[in-house]
Amino acid sequence: MTKITLRQLLDDAAERGYGVPAFNINNMEQGLAIMEAADAVDAPVIIQASRGARSYAGDIMLSRIIDALVEMFPHIPLCLHQDHGNNEATCATAIQHGFTSVMMDGSLRSDGKTVGDYNYNVDITHRVAQMAHWVGASVEGELGALGSLEHGSSEKEDGHGAEGALSRDQLLTDPNQAVDFVRATNVDALAIAMGTSHGVYKFTRRSDGNILAMRVVEEIHRRLPNTHLVMHGSSSVPQPLQDMFNAFGGEMPQTWGVPLEEIVRGIRHGVRKVNIDTDCRLAMTAIFRKVALQSKAEFDPRKFLKPAMDALRDLCRERFEQFSTAGNASRIKPIPLAEMARRYRSGALDPKTNMTAAA
């Protein structure tokens, strides 16, 4: 089975009412664990690579890892997505190396830390969408700055994140502006800001409507019922993983993530892609600490990596089941990029906006 585009996968998710977790990887072990989880529950997969991951592993290595996963799991539709592309070149070279989807994050300038204004965001996202659609690849845009409503700032991940204080208006996507943005850019999916952030330290208490504005998701979905929404920074940071990490020598302060029930609520209101990275890192590194402390003479890396892969596999399986992704893979027949390009050219995949709902 060939790779699938994000647009085809999210169209299917919207039709059937499920969400798709998007897992970031840097290496073979993460890729294998994710695909084993998907195989166990018949779930389609979104694997993401950030600019940091591409720098760490190299484009050729990442591309070959994905090719191997496709060959090993030919019955599982797999979308390879560029996470937080910062300019046209990042997105173009991702497509060149086999990515079927790219995110153009024009909410920040190309340095990945300076907030971009609305016109800049529209202009660069539109250009990337045109380029990607020529070859059939999908595009995710972002409107609003990812960051905490508690302290008004963003957290960096792989060097990406807004610097300085952010206003509440910047931290919450404007529903009216979202309608205009989708029309102007022709994006296939829209990442929105509602109080989530990168990294492990998302909230200092269990989230509520003041620090996680799910009402923004619901209002944007009301105005854009046919647009696929994306929640970034949506790791739940499970307490058992925090406890294990600390029990074996870690020093992680108490933190709270995005509750699973809030993610499921988002899926009911148009969220089709849910970005998860911190949970995956924590599941593996908690095991590394456990092995290192309990088996102090162990020097074989595989004795660390194999149980860590098992932990990641179990976590990914849980997310596939919780988001109702499970059971959908075998039914999906990937559409080739060339056919997707033809559909873009024909206008069949242009955004459908509901003028009545937006009023």
Side-chain angles (χ1 to χ4, degrees), residues 3-7 9 44-48 77-81 100-101 138:
K3 294 191 287 285
I4 191 173
T5 63
L6 184 70
R7 177 59 183 269
L9 179 50
V45 172
I46 301 171
I47 286 180
Q48 303 189 143
L78 189 161
C79 170
L80 177 59
H81 179 74
T100 55
S101 176
S138 308

Side-chain angles (χ1 to χ4, degrees), residues 333-350:
K333 308 303 177 189
I335 300 170
L337 284 173
E339 173 58 20
M340 292 298 291
R342 187 196 67 77
R343 296 183 187 188
Y344 283 119
R345 288 195 301 270
S346 74
L349 299 180
D350 285 352

Side-chain angles (χ1 to χ4, degrees), residues 1-201:
M1 183 178 287
T2 57
K3 294 191 287 285
I4 191 173
T5 63
L6 184 70
R7 177 59 183 269
Q8 184 191 356
L9 179 50
L10 299 192
D11 280 351
D12 187 81
E15 180 181 351
R16 296 182 178 267
Y18 64 91
V20 187
F23 301 113
N24 286 65
I25 74 164
N26 302 274
N27 54 43
M28 175 196 78
E29 288 79 10
Q30 291 170 307
L32 283 171
I34 293 165
M35 295 304 288
E36 287 172 3
D39 185 45
V41 297
D42 188 40
V45 172
I46 301 171
I47 286 180
Q48 303 189 143
S50 65
R51 287 183 294 131
R54 291 174 64 185
S55 175
Y56 173 81
D59 284 336
I60 294 174
M61 180 59 71
L62 277 177
S63 178
R64 298 297 189 272
I65 289 172
I66 297 300
D67 287 346
L69 295 175
V70 169
E71 186 173 348
M72 293 171 68
F73 300 90
H75 50 293
I76 300 295
L78 189 161
C79 170
L80 177 59
H81 179 74
Q82 165 70 59
D83 191 23
H84 287 290
N86 63 318
N87 57 32
E88 299 97 320
T90 296
C91 295
T93 54
I95 295 170
Q96 182 183 24
H97 285 93
F99 286 67
T100 55
S101 176
V102 296
M103 180 193 185
M104 179 57 238
D105 184 0
S107 69
L108 301 179
R109 293 277 180 171
S110 61
D111 62 6
K113 60 185 180 181
T114 304
V115 176
D117 62 39
Y118 180 70
N119 290 333
Y120 168 83
N121 194 352
V122 168
D123 182 55
I124 195 168
T125 305
H126 175 64
R127 291 202 306 271
V128 169
Q130 280 189 313
M131 172 193 69
H133 291 168
W134 287 338
V135 296
S138 308
V139 175
E140 174 189 334
E142 180 168 321
L143 185 62
L146 201 66
S148 170
L149 292 171
E150 282 192 284
H151 51 72
S153 62
S154 178
E155 296 291 337
K156 287 187 179 296
E157 187 158 313
D158 284 348
H160 186 96
E163 289 188 346
L166 298 169
S167 69
R168 194 170 180 85
D169 287 344
Q170 289 174 310
L171 291 167
L172 294 174
T173 301
D174 183 324
N176 285 323
Q177 205 171 58
V179 175
D180 180 73
F181 184 83
V182 169
R183 289 192 190 123
T185 60
N186 205 27
V187 291
D188 299 288
L190 178 65
I192 59 178
M194 82 291 280
T196 59
S197 57
H198 288 143
V200 70
Y201 304 109

Side-chain angles (χ1 to χ4, degrees), residues 202-341:
K202 301 181 186 301
F203 307 114
T204 62
R205 56 187 169 87
R206 185 171 176 82
S207 63
D208 57 27
N210 293 319
I211 59 175
L212 182 62
M214 296 302 295
R215 66 188 182 278
V216 172
V217 176
E218 295 171 354
E219 181 59 21
I220 291 173
H221 180 57
R222 187 183 74 81
R223 294 168 187 250
L224 290 169
N226 299 301
T227 295
H228 306 311
L229 303 182
V230 181
M231 286 178 62
H232 280 239
S234 292
S235 285
S236 297
V237 199
Q239 191 64 49
L241 290 183
Q242 294 185 55
D243 292 342
M244 180 186 292
F245 186 89
N246 288 332
F248 295 102
E251 296 182 355
M252 179 179 292
Q254 178 64 52
T255 184
W256 282 263
V258 182
L260 286 167
E261 60 267 26
E262 295 297 337
I263 297 173
V264 172
R265 175 183 170 186
I267 291 170
R268 291 198 301 268
H269 293 90
V271 171
R272 300 297 162 218
K273 175 173 176 279
V274 183
N275 284 18
I276 298 170
D277 188 14
T278 294
D279 285 354
C280 300
R281 296 183 184 195
L282 187 56
M284 297 189 79
T285 54
I287 294 295
F288 293 161
R289 289 187 173 279
K290 180 179 180 181
V291 174
L293 197 64
Q294 291 186 338
S295 305
K296 294 184 178 181
E298 186 56 68
F299 64 92
D300 184 346
R302 294 170 297 182
K303 298 296 176 65
F304 292 79
L305 289 167
K306 184 57 174 68
M309 290 168 64
D310 292 342
L312 177 56
R313 180 199 61 217
D314 293 346
L315 182 141
C316 293
R317 177 171 179 162
E318 287 180 358
R319 296 298 181 267
F320 285 132
E321 292 172 337
Q322 290 157 339
F323 300 167
S324 299
T325 327
N328 288 290
S330 56
R331 182 180 35 77
I332 298 171
K333 308 303 177 189
I335 300 170
L337 284 173
E339 173 58 20
M340 292 298 291

